Amino acid sequence: MAVPLFDTSSTLRPLRDQMGDAIERVLDSERYILGEEVGAFEREFAAYCGAAHAVGVANGTDAITIALRAMGVGPGDEVVVPSFTFYASVEAVPPTGATPVFCDIDPDTFCVTADTVRAALTTRTKAVIAVHLFGNVAPVAEIAELGVPVLEDAAQAAGSTSSPGRPGALGAAGTFSFYPSKNLACLGDGGAIVTSDDGIAERARVLRFHGSRDKVDYELLGYNSRLDELQAAVLRVQLPHLGDWARGRNEAGRHYEQTGLGALVDLPRPAAGAVPAWHLFVVRHDRIADLEASLRRASIGCKAYYRTPVHRQAPMRAWGAGADLPATDDVAARHLAIPMGPALSRAQAEEVVAAARCA
């Protein structure tokens, strides 16, 4: 049985009529930018996350840049950020005028910790970006105790939970991407900033709208970065299902555990108190090329996402020079994402395990 890396159709197919109705509603309104759909989605998503505000923006990368600026990050500041993450987590820092400073991760959870962040702090550190990588949940409260504001990059963690609350509502602010492959997905690009800080929310709203409140008077050098009405309408259809999808993703992770995958590879470990809605299920193996080849022979979807960590990417080398990140380098060399999704069955997990045994 072929098992795809992603299966988005199983979740979206039953909602196509509702999404079509939502799109028709926007077309009938003839309001496409910052209208009722965006406002309603912002209220509903903020409530879901357990925060006071959500600010819809054009994509997850802009969300990070705008959130950092709304938090007061600017030229001369430093922002601590992991290197084992999607490039945008770091790419979003330089446009603020600040400098990214790379820190290591916990190799079992793939997330930053208070210890890895502490090693990268300086007197110039203005913020820490805690990435909830692959749907796991970084220990935001412990990191915040270091005395630096924490921005959560929750792009891969919509639907995850933790004992202190949901991702996005744990730090000074949180950012989300609604890219089509994400746990909560647009039919294109989209993002959001979530916060309970009134000042951060207000500055983010101004920044996303050319630095203006009314497009007549301008207070800041801002951005043209707004979640549009069509995408917000589609997201509103999906949001009530996110909890069920998250439980399905967590259950899929248990299928892998129960079918014996842990005897063959190193499984990801949920952070303390976290119930991950796994966006990706990433395993580690000493002979990762053999594992990948075996899975592909069996038509099992798999992919290495961050084989070259961000601090070793060409545009980042000046900032990453001299960074000693042993866990990052080890995980980057030995990781592989295997099939994951809300509809992944035990039978499909058994197919994956059978193929892994042949590695």
Side-chain angles (χ1 to χ4, degrees):
M1 168 194 323
V3 185
L5 183 60
F6 289 110
D7 176 15
T8 56
S9 61
S10 293
T11 52
L12 294 185
R13 188 182 300 112
L15 302 178
R16 288 187 66 165
D17 288 345
Q18 289 176 258
M19 290 192 293
D21 291 342
I23 291 169
E24 287 290 335
R25 188 170 66 239
V26 174
L27 293 175
D28 289 342
S29 76
E30 299 184 352
R31 177 74 182 271
Y32 302 111
I33 302 294
L34 297 183
E36 292 182 4
E37 298 292 341
V38 170
F41 173 71
E42 288 176 336
R43 292 189 296 272
E44 292 159 5
F45 191 59
Y48 176 85
C49 293
H53 307 279
V55 181
V57 294
N59 55 70
T61 309
D62 283 359
I64 298 172
T65 300
I66 291 171
L68 288 172
R69 285 196 56 196
M71 291 166 60
V73 173
D77 295 330
E78 292 180 349
V79 176
V80 174
V81 61
S83 178
F84 190 71
T85 184
F86 180 52
Y87 186 77
S89 301
V90 186
E91 178 190 30
V93 175
T96 69
T99 299
V101 175
F102 294 100
C103 71
D104 216 347
I105 57 167
D106 176 342
D108 293 322
T109 67
F110 305 118
C111 293
V112 299
T113 68
D115 288 339
T116 65
V117 169
R118 185 184 293 109
L121 294 178
T122 75
T123 57
R124 293 171 57 196
T125 306
K126 192 65 174 283
V128 174
I129 297 177
V131 181
H132 300 310
L133 198 65
F134 305 142
N136 218 338
V137 184
V140 174
E142 295 176 17
I143 296 168
E145 289 177 0
L146 299 175
V148 180
V150 178
L151 174 63
E152 304 168 68
D153 179 349
Q156 299 181 2
S160 295
T161 62
S162 70
S163 48
R166 293 189 186 277
L170 306 176
T175 63
F176 289 84
S177 166
F178 304 126
Y179 185 78
S181 65
K182 294 296 193 291
N183 296 7
L184 180 66
C186 284
L187 302 182
D189 276 316
I193 300 160
V194 174
T195 184
S196 289
D197 185 303
D198 294 347
I200 291 175
E202 182 60 21
R203 287 190 291 275
R205 290 189 184 100
V206 171
L207 284 165
R208 75 173 174 183
F209 192 59
H210 300 283
S212 174
R213 299 171 194 271
D214 55 13
K215 216 158 66 170
V216 175
D217 296 308
Y218 297 86
E219 305 169 27
L220 301 166
L221 289 173
Y223 308 86
N224 180 15
S225 183
R226 300 164 300 208
L227 181 67
D228 68 65
E229 287 284 286
L230 288 167
Q231 301 298 355
V234 167
L235 289 167
R236 292 185 68 201
V237 172
Q238 296 182 52
L239 182 57
H241 301 275
L242 180 57
D244 288 339
W245 295 342
R247 285 184 286 274
R249 289 177 178 276
N250 190 261
E251 180 67 17
R254 285 196 293 272
H255 289 329
Y256 282 129
E257 295 173 10
Q258 294 164 358
T259 51
L261 186 60
L264 306 173
V265 300
D266 295 329
L267 298 178
R269 176 172 58 81
V275 181
W278 298 113
H279 171 60
L280 297 171
F281 200 78
V282 175
V283 301
R284 289 170 293 149
H285 193 273
D286 288 336
R287 292 179 291 104
I288 201 66
D290 292 341
L291 176 63
E292 182 174 1
S294 182
L295 293 177
R296 292 193 183 282
R297 282 195 300 270
S299 299
I300 306 296
C302 57
K303 183 176 179 179
Y305 273 80
Y306 312 132
R307 190 67 80 217
T308 301
V310 179
H311 76 291
R312 299 189 185 282
Q313 297 286 348
M316 299 291 174
R317 285 176 189 158
W319 293 307
D324 183 22
L325 309 175
T328 292
D329 287 333
D330 179 67
V331 171
R334 298 199 303 122
H335 81 280
L336 192 70
I338 61 176
M340 170 50 61
L344 185 86
S345 67
R346 185 182 177 93
Q348 288 177 308
E350 289 172 347
E351 290 286 333
V352 176
V353 173
R357 286 200 181 98
C358 298

